[in-house]
Each structure stands twice: as C-alpha cells, then as structure tokens.
Amino acid sequence: MIRFDAVTKVYSNNSRPALDAVSLEVDRAEFVFLVGASGSGKSTFIRLVLKEDRVSRGAVYVAGQNVANIPSWRVPKLRRGIGVVFQDFRLLPNKTVFANVAFAMQVIGKSRAVIRETVPDVLQTVGLEGKNNRMPHELSGGEQQRVAIARAIVNKPGILLADEPTGNLDPTTSMGIMKVLDRINSNGTTVVMATHDDDIVNTMRKRVVELRNGSVVRDDAQGIYIGETEVLAQ
Amino acid sequence: MRFAFVLGELGSGLRRNLAMVISIVLVTFISLTFVGAAGLLQLQINQMKGYWYDRVQVAVFLCVDNSTSPSCATGPVTDDQRDEIQTILESESFSEYVSTVEYESQDEALGHFQDQFANSPIVDSVTADQLPESFRVNLVDPEKYEVINEAFSSTPGVDVVSDQRELLERLFTYMNVASAIALTIAGVMLLCAVLLVATTIRLSAFSRRRETGIMRLVGASKAVIQLPFVLEGVIAAVVGGLLATGTLWAVAHFALNGVLAEMYPETAFISSTEVLLLAPLLIGLGGVLAGVSSLLTLRRYLRV
C-alpha cells in the first residue's frame, strides 16, 4: 500500500537529512507504529506520503503509484485516498460535530443525501453517536480526536495516517482512541501511526518501525518500544 | 452540492471581510467611473464629429473695407472678383472636392450673427458692413480643406479661408485632454483596486487557513479551495462596476440630456443608452482585474 524506496529527504542543503535512505513497505490492511524521538523523521514520512513535500532522492509509492509522477492537479485525488489525524485535532471551532465531518464530504462534492446517510454511521464507528450537534469546545480532548478520526475516514480512504494522535490525551483516553483505530484497521484500512507513547505500542502488539535520525533502526512484527525516558531510567 | 458549498464559503468570506469588501467596492466604483467618464468623452467626441463634420463648412471670406491681408490691397471685393471666385468654386476641376457652394451676403451674415448672439448686448453695435460676405463651401471630404485654402487664400478679393473644423478640433483637443486626465486617474485608482483586492484576498485566505488546510488534506480540488476567494474579489469589483455604470447613466441622463441638452439644443449629446453599451466593458474590466489579482495572490499565499 505504501512503499518507500531508498527515500532521502533533506530540508535544507547543509542540514542532516530528515530521512536517510529509508526503505520500507506497508501492506494493505496493515497496522504500523512509526516510533522514534522528536526529529527522528516520523512527520516527514507522513508528509511524503501525502505529497506535501518532494523527496530529495528515492521514490515513494502509494497504492502502487510513484507520487513524484502524480501531476499537481491529481494530488487531491491521491489525498482522497488517505485520511490524516493530527495531535492537535484541527477541527473547525464554529461548526458542529456533524458539520465538521460533513465538511470533508462537501468539499469533494458529495450530495447532501449521501452526507446525511454516511456521517451518522461514521460517528457511530468512532463512538460519538448522539453528539451530532455538539460544538468542538463542548467536547473532551478524546471526543475531539474521535471527531477528527471520523472526518479522516468518512470518505473511506484506503490509508489512515495518524501523527501522534494521542499526544495530547491522557492514557485512558488514549486507549479509547487506539480501540477506534484498531476497529478501523480491522475493517481493512491500512493504518500508519506515528507516536512516541511506549505504553500504547507495547499494549497493541503491532508492527513497530523505529526511526532514529532519519534511518530505520528496527522493524519488528508485534514489536515493543522503549522510549527515551525509560532508556534514561535504566 | 459543490456549487452550493462554494457559495456558502463565499457568503461566509464576504461576511467575515465586510469592511475590506466594501472598500474594494468603493475603490473599483470610483476608478471605473473615471474609466467610464473617459469612454463617454470619447463617445461624445465621436458623436460631435459625426454630427458636425457633415455640417461644417469652409468659409471663404471676402475682403471688406478694413481687411488687412495682402490679397485685399485693392479694397473691398469687387463684383468681378466675386463672380470669378464663384466660377472657380463651381468649376469642373473643383467638383471632386466641393459638393455645394452658398453665397452669404453681408446682410445674411448679420442675420446669422444676430441669431447666434441673441442674448448678448454686442448685437446692437454690429452693423452689416462690418461683417464680411463669404462663400460657404461644403466639402465632399472635410479633410481636404487645404485644397481650398491653397487655391483661394491669395486670390484677389479673398480675405481669409477659414475651416470651421479647426474650431471644433480645438474643442476636441480639450475634450481629449480631459479624457486623458480621467484615464490617468482611473489608472492610478485601478492600481489601488488591484492592490486592495490582493491584500483583502490575502487576509481572507489567512483568516480561513484552518478550513483550507483541512480542505487540502481531505482532497478538495484546487478550484473548490480557491474559487470562494476569487469570487469574493470578483463580486466586489463587479458591484463596483455596477455602481459606476449607474452613476454614469445618471450623469448622462440627468446632466447631459437633462440640463445641458436644454442649454445647448444645437449640440448632439450622447444618450444615456450609450452608457449601457459601456457597462459590460466596465464591469468586465473590474471583474477580470479582480480575478487575476486574487488568483496571483492565492498562488503565493494559499497552498493547495
């Protein structure tokens, strides 16, 4: 589903690369944790999949297509096939829960009837049934992130990218979010989640790819992760 | 649906940026009014050319007592001289330039003079013998005035050959200068309008960067993201164009055709419907400038 072929990304000429000759393959319906300290290249990985940035060397394939060869007017179509969730939720504060999710369908031209039918289903999937008309500020952090996830998956993308989705949440709430992501994954969506939350990684027992200074240092099926805090403690 | 969505975004953009949108409307209104005024002046010039060039004549003034030109050295024109001039004017060789020739005697000249200056006290002090008699020559092609001038200006008995068109040309020069000034002001104002649109769109894009960021992520097309912003500028400019058209129409209708036409019944003024011919041009100009300006701004300040 996603393939990185010796990808190097250098942001400015004299700095060290954000990604350094990374080769990696993520299969369809796989769940992958991308772990590593801040600055290890997790976010760069996500940006390259979305074609937000251009690779310096190598190639990124999404659904079999080299993203470098996608002309700019086709990039929206690429992005429709990828849902994204961020640490800071990025909801529209003046729209209700329903409207926030519906927004993602409106902007790609879905009809009102389809929207009315789909959005409640998706809100149920993320565990927000009955909160259609709440405003984002009336929700807890975990609920806001569920809205963001609902928005990311409402157009049924094949891939869900999550950049530190639990970074702002307490452990209990985080586990709730992980259950939602796991459920989405079990429906056949490829999930790539960047995180440095070792508790979550160790509980979920999924594939773990560890990045350090832009290089893949470990790629374990059902792996664990020991974050820096633990390393220092030892 | 997408159309409705774009309209909804447009509406919220217009509301959010109301003060800036109003300023775009006003600046384009003023600048397009100046553009339109320059256009109307040109139309008026053309109108007057069309009207007067058919009527203007070359006047061949004959010598009177106090004429000073060398060809009048022998005193007032004699009957022989007058006949000869008339014969030449009506001769075969001039027929390709001259369409009609009319003789105006001193008494007739006085009559015309009295008509023209009916309200002026000068009328009472002028007598027929002070006014020259003349041949009024209508030319086939009014541009060929020089032919008559060369042929007759040194003929004995002819004082001066005068082309009425020259008087009109002077008037047209003033009107051209006025329309050039209007165009210059319009140019400066239009530049303001373009920069104002750019600033407004930039602010608008900034204030809605959260929305556009999400639109980008969920795969909205470039058109859906940019169109509300472009339309925001274009609609404001078009409203400005409509106001300008309305103002010009009112000026043509009430000032030109109302007041001035009554004061100068002899002059052919452009009608207010001609303003409406200018309207699509003004509105189009406003719309295109705003559209181009906002597109260029978006290319720089809105990532898609």
Side-chain angles (χ1 to χ4, degrees), chain B residues 4-202:
Chain B
F5 174 77
V6 167
L7 284 187
E9 287 293 294
L10 171 64
S12 73
L14 288 176
R15 268 196 306 280
R16 210 180 294 201
N17 263 338
L18 195 60
M20 292 297 273
V21 168
I22 289 174
S23 60
I24 295 181
V25 168
L26 292 180
V27 172
T28 44
F29 163 42
I30 301 295
S31 50
L32 291 175
T33 304
F34 276 105
V35 173
L40 287 186
L41 272 169
Q42 288 304 322
L43 282 177
Q44 179 68 50
I45 290 173
N46 283 339
Q47 175 104 337
M48 289 171 84
K49 272 185 184 164
Y51 180 83
W52 284 110
Y53 278 12
D54 287 343
R55 288 166 179 73
V56 292
Q57 297 163 322
V58 174
V60 179
F61 289 105
L62 305 180
C63 299
V64 287
D65 275 337
N66 50 5
S67 300
T68 51
S69 61
S71 51
C72 292
T74 54
V77 66
T78 62
D79 289 347
D80 288 346
Q81 285 171 334
R82 187 189 305 118
D83 288 344
E84 194 182 335
I85 293 165
Q86 181 153 19
T87 317
I88 302 174
L89 275 172
E90 288 169 352
S91 72
E92 196 63 23
S93 53
F94 275 94
S95 63
E96 73 175 287
Y97 304 112
V98 173
S99 71
T100 59
V101 179
E102 273 170 56
Y103 172 72
E104 185 182 281
S105 70
Q106 288 185 309
D107 287 333
E108 284 165 344
L110 181 64
H112 287 150
F113 185 84
Q114 283 169 339
D115 282 349
Q116 218 165 356
F117 295 91
N119 300 325
S120 164
I122 197 172
V123 168
D124 303 328
S125 59
V126 173
T127 56
D129 58 329
Q130 290 171 314
L131 296 169
E133 50 191 306
S134 61
F135 287 106
R136 300 287 164 152
V137 181
N138 276 314
L139 296 180
V140 175
D141 175 1
E143 307 276 330
K144 294 280 165 57
Y145 149 75
E146 273 304 316
V147 176
I148 306 295
N149 187 28
E150 268 171 37
F152 292 97
S153 57
S154 51
T155 305
V158 172
D159 184 4
V160 283
V161 178
S162 111
D163 184 6
Q164 291 180 335
R165 223 158 54 99
E166 240 170 70
L167 296 173
L168 281 177
E169 292 293 351
R170 203 173 310 156
L171 177 62
F172 292 155
T173 308
Y174 291 134
M175 291 172 77
N176 274 325
V177 168
S179 81
I181 291 171
L183 268 186
T184 311
I185 296 173
V188 174
M189 294 294 290
L190 279 178
L191 182 67
C192 287
V194 165
L195 294 177
L196 193 61
V197 168
T199 313
T200 305
I201 298 305
R202 193 174 148 187

Side-chain angles (χ1 to χ4, degrees), chain A residues 21 35 39 43 50 53 58 62 73 87 92 99 129 131-132 135-136 149 152 168 173 189 201 206-208 213 217 221:
Chain A
V35 299
S43 297
L50 286 168
D53 279 319
V62 174
W73 61 273
Q87 183 173 1
L92 299 175
E129 52 274 73
K131 305 215 162 153
N132 286 8
M135 299 304 280
I149 294 171
N168 278 346
T173 315
T189 305
V201 177
K206 300 284 189 184
R207 179 180 170 194
V208 174
N213 295 336
V217 293

Side-chain angles (χ1 to χ4, degrees), chain B residues 29 32-33 35-44 47 241-257 269-284:
Chain B
F29 163 42
L32 291 175
T33 304
V35 173
L40 287 186
L41 272 169
Q42 288 304 322
L43 282 177
Q44 179 68 50
Q47 175 104 337
L242 286 172
L243 286 176
T245 308
T247 306
L248 291 170
W249 182 86
V251 167
H253 188 73
F254 297 110
L256 283 186
N257 293 328
F269 287 106
I270 48 170
S271 66
S272 49
T273 44
E274 263 159 298
V275 175
L276 301 181
L277 294 179
L278 216 58
L281 225 70
L282 292 183
I283 296 167

